[in-house]
Amino acid sequence: MLYNILGEKRMEGKERKIKLTLFFSLFTAVLCTISPLLAQASRLYVGYFYFGPPGGNAPWGVYSRILNINTAIPTYYAHLQWVTIMLSYDRYYWLQKGYYKDGTKNNPVFYWEVFDSSQKISYKLSIGPTTGATYSYTIVHAQKTDPKLWDFLIRDSSGQTIFNKEISADPYVPIDLQSFVKTTTSYINVGGTHFSYLSYYNGQSWLLWNRHAAYVDPPYWLDQVSHYEFKAGGGGY
């Protein structure tokens, strides 16, 4: 079962509002069944919202280039980097694409997620990004007769498509875009994190993000290079 962070300690004001609307990956919930240590793990985030909660009239696609840092992961913990189309903050519905690594893996793998009114799907691919390489991650409305259809794509640095899948989601209207790093312990070092060319699809063309709302949990830091680029680091033993 997918786990969100409603169970975290109470916080006041804006921080609490933002924190309660961030979410865990399904992978974290799966790992929680393996080890009580992970169930008690921290939930730490650093990155950008397009609007931030509660969302707004969001564009119909999100794109980013993400560098694979392949950081060391302690046993029972996990590290993810993703782009997301948020469909509902109230019900925690989203479409997500990125890469994932836990303490059992030598290398990260690509994954995709759909959480909507009828399904909770999280799928890890058998392939993943090469260490030090940058890949592009795209989630974009398919613009077909069936309005629920979305396209998930991953391309390597040469532009070659290495993953392409059509996904159905209900509801399907986007309310926000996200680009985030998540760790389940501050002992994970995210130095070298680099999201670039963050773009949105307006239904006709791709444009660079023209706004953002930043979020960062200590001990991590966030370098807000521009609306459409950020770097992050911090954490570790």
Side-chain angles (χ1 to χ4, degrees), residues 6 31-32 37 48 71 73 97 102 114 116 118 122 156 158 179 191 202 227-228 232 236:
L6 289 173
L31 290 172
C32 283
L37 291 176
Y48 281 4
T71 189
I73 310 296
K97 190 87 195 73
D102 63 42
V114 178
D116 66 6
S118 63
S122 185
D156 63 20
S158 70
S179 52
N202 65 5
H227 289 315
Y228 53 86

Side-chain angles (χ1 to χ4, degrees), residues 45-49 179-181 195 212-217 222 230 232:
Y45 301 85
V46 55
Y48 281 4
F49 300 95
S179 52
F180 267 91
V181 179
F195 284 62
H212 78 276
Y215 183 86
V216 57
D217 278 320
L222 178 64
F230 69 83

Side-chain angles (χ1 to χ4, degrees), residues 67-82:
L67 173 67
N68 173 30
I69 61 175
N70 194 16
T71 189
I73 310 296
T75 305
Y76 304 124
Y77 295 96
H79 163 244
L80 303 89
Q81 300 202 7
W82 72 61

Side-chain angles (χ1 to χ4, degrees), residues 187-203:
Y187 289 131
I188 296 174
N189 187 330
V190 301
T193 291
H194 189 192
F195 284 62
S196 59
Y197 294 95
L198 280 164
S199 302
Y200 66 89
Y201 187 65
N202 65 5

